[in-house]
Amino acid sequence: MSFKTILVAGASRGIGLAVAEHLASQCDRLLAVSRTESPIGEWVQADLSDLEGVETVAKAIGEDSLDALLYMGGTWETHAFTSQYRFEDCTDADIAQVIAVNLVAPIRLVKALLPALRRSDNPKIVFMGALSGRDNFPGREVANSASKFGLRGVVHSLREELRSQQIGVTVINPGNVGTPEVLADLAADNLSGGEALPLSDLLSIIDCILSLSRATCIKEIDVPAMLGEGA
């Protein structure tokens, strides 16, 4: 595959960094958006939880066409996914930050970048959701689950809004993904949820989505690990 411009939000670590590294050789211009420095691509320093950060990203795109917007950023409450998590102990600031980063930021970013996406011959929007946003998943993290449920609603509505323009919108809902950070936490029993999905499998799914024509609509993809929760 070959693309002109790709933007990866949350590209300084974890899934976002892995996606940026994977796609860097497949495009002429890779914008790596994050608060802390990304070692790959053209780093755009921005905090997407506020409007100023979103405006910074829009200015960085300029008049370029945008072939793919991949929102891989995300955050969660203190002690999330561990036995130490307690909803009653979550601060209001913690809850507000999770909703701002996981739900409000992607809405604002898509709105700001729609002109650039329209200039592409085959534009794609991909959000990183989570199994915790699916019905009846036994997640205890209230703000994180709410944000991931909400992100699915964003995708469904955007798909209807952008259908006539044939801009693809997809949300991927994985369980634990085998980034170095997650594998270390699983090895130390600091995370619940069982086995981790191989990172290479997630990257293959993203490749598939980006390679499809404008005639195809991929709404949601649920990706639990075979031996993990939600399988």
Side-chain angles (χ1 to χ4, degrees):
M1 293 184 291
S2 178
F3 306 95
K4 294 178 181 177
T5 305
I6 289 177
L7 186 148
V8 179
S12 63
R13 62 187 181 89
I15 294 173
L17 176 57
V19 170
E21 290 174 337
H22 179 69
L23 294 175
S25 64
Q26 302 180 41
C27 59
D28 296 332
R29 186 185 185 200
L30 178 85
L31 284 85
V33 179
S34 55
R35 290 182 300 171
T36 56
E37 186 171 4
S38 173
I40 194 75
E42 178 183 330
W43 180 42
V44 180
Q45 184 177 20
D47 181 352
L48 296 177
S49 66
D50 62 50
L51 280 172
E52 184 179 352
V54 174
E55 292 167 357
T56 296
V57 174
K59 289 178 182 177
I61 289 287
E63 296 303 313
D64 275 4
S65 62
L66 181 59
D67 294 324
L69 163 57
L70 297 104
Y71 194 92
M72 304 286 105
T75 189
W76 41 83
E77 301 97 312
T78 302
H79 300 308
F81 315 116
T82 75
S83 59
Q84 286 75 45
Y85 172 81
R86 295 290 183 275
F87 169 61
E88 290 179 283
D89 295 335
C90 294
T91 66
D92 288 343
D94 219 8
I95 293 169
Q97 180 70 3
V98 171
I99 299 299
V101 172
N102 293 0
L103 183 57
V104 179
I107 295 174
R108 287 173 168 170
L109 191 62
V110 169
K111 182 181 178 183
L113 298 184
L114 273 176
L117 286 160
R118 291 191 186 103
R119 290 192 286 268
S120 171
D121 294 331
N122 188 16
K124 306 290 185 186
I125 301 169
V126 181
F127 292 122
M128 190 55 59
L131 288 180
S132 56
R134 299 294 303 174
D135 292 350
N136 301 314
F137 187 82
R140 297 170 51 237
E141 294 74 20
V142 175
N144 183 70
S145 294
S147 69
K148 297 302 184 180
F149 263 95
L151 191 60
R152 293 176 59 219
V154 170
V155 169
H156 292 175
S157 297
L158 276 177
R159 190 178 63 252
E160 292 304 315
E161 177 71 9
L162 302 177
R163 183 193 295 273
S164 63
Q165 301 170 58
Q166 291 183 284
I167 297 176
V169 187
T170 303
V171 59
I172 303 172
N173 301 312
N176 287 329
V177 178
T179 62
E181 298 91 342
V182 167
L183 292 176
D185 280 339
L186 285 172
D189 290 327
N190 290 330
L191 287 181
S192 59
E195 299 293 323
L197 173 77
L199 184 56
S200 59
D201 287 355
L202 183 65
L203 297 175
S204 294
I205 291 168
I206 290 173
D207 282 343
C208 176
I209 294 168
L210 297 184
S211 70
L212 297 174
S213 75
R214 299 183 82 162
T216 300
C217 171
I218 300 293
K219 302 175 182 180
E220 291 191 67
I221 302 177
D222 295 341
V223 196
M226 186 67 74
L227 300 178
E229 289 184 356

